[in-house]
Amino acid sequence: MNDGHEPLTESVRSLIDAVIRTEVDPEKIAAAHAHVAAALDILGEQMMPGAYGVRAAPDGRRAPRGNVLIGERNAIAPPLIVDRDEAGLVSTEVDLGAAYEGPVGHVHGGVCSLILDHLLGATAHRPDRPAFTGTLQLRYVRPTPLGPLRAEAWVEHEDGRKTYARGRILSAGQTTVEAQGVFIRPRADRSAD
């Protein structure tokens, strides 16, 4: 559901990284600020009210646009592209830079948790039946370095509306964070709430 925002979002994502890492002089920072302010004036001419979240495409399909991890309009989203194989393994490849740094040179643990929460939850989702986090437990095995990472999740077992899932984040083939969680699909008569 591309509405032409992806190049703008990618530019803002690069801008965030540049703002964090720049070492230019204050005069150049002021000039960049003026350009950003001008862009805000243009984009602010017409704004939708409230949260953006998930919107329907012309074909009726629903897609996240502002989601913190996968929204095509959200420049703070890494973004995650979630793949599912025939065996049910859910995975993503992501490259995390300066915007996600916690300890020097490493991904913030809360960002790792966010990624694993999303990925484990993806194992339990069904068409038109979302699943919500019931519990999520993490074990930080070693620091997760900034840069290219792989995250994967799988179902251990299901019990009615509950999906018990496990997952991990890997850097250069080594596990940095392990997770397990329970994800719950609401009853059909309450799924619209």
Side-chain angles (χ1 to χ4, degrees):
M1 187 160 81
N2 185 346
D3 60 2
H5 280 77
E6 289 178 15
L8 174 62
T9 303
E10 188 56 42
S11 293
V12 174
R13 196 173 285 126
S14 296
L15 176 64
I16 291 168
D17 188 72
V19 168
I20 292 168
R21 299 182 323 117
T22 190
E23 293 184 343
V24 299
D25 62 53
E27 188 175 296
K28 289 183 179 175
I29 289 174
H33 177 246
H35 286 290
V36 171
L40 289 172
D41 287 343
I42 293 167
L43 295 173
E45 288 177 9
Q46 188 175 350
M47 304 279 284
M48 71 180 63
Y52 192 62
V54 176
R55 298 288 170 148
D59 66 3
R61 191 175 51 88
R62 295 172 50 87
R65 293 258 178 102
N67 182 292
V68 71
L69 285 172
I70 60 175
E72 68 186 29
R73 288 187 176 197
N74 188 343
I76 64 167
L80 296 187
I81 297 173
V82 178
D83 296 311
R84 182 183 305 266
D85 72 13
E86 302 81 33
L89 180 73
V90 176
S91 64
T92 189
E93 306 281 335
V94 63
D95 194 341
L96 298 180
Y100 307 100
E101 188 172 33
V104 176
H106 294 89
V107 180
H108 190 286
V111 174
C112 294
S113 176
L114 185 67
I115 290 169
L116 286 166
D117 180 37
H118 185 82
L119 211 59
L120 270 71
T123 68
H125 282 281
R126 303 293 179 265
D128 298 320
R129 293 285 312 275
F132 301 96
T133 308
T135 62
L136 182 66
Q137 297 175 324
L138 284 89
R139 185 169 86 86
Y140 295 89
V141 179
R142 61 181 49 85
T144 303
L146 293 172
L149 303 168
R150 176 178 172 80
E152 54 190 31
W154 57 93
V155 172
E156 284 211 309
H157 68 279
E158 294 189 278
D159 183 12
R161 295 180 299 118
K162 294 181 182 178
T163 299
Y164 295 80
R166 286 193 177 268
R168 61 187 177 174
I169 294 176
L170 300 108
S171 173
Q174 289 195 312
T175 298
T176 62
V177 185
E178 298 173 335
Q180 63 182 21
V182 179
F183 296 83
I184 303 166
R185 286 181 300 281
R187 288 188 176 88
D189 60 345
R190 293 177 46 197
S191 62
D193 294 343

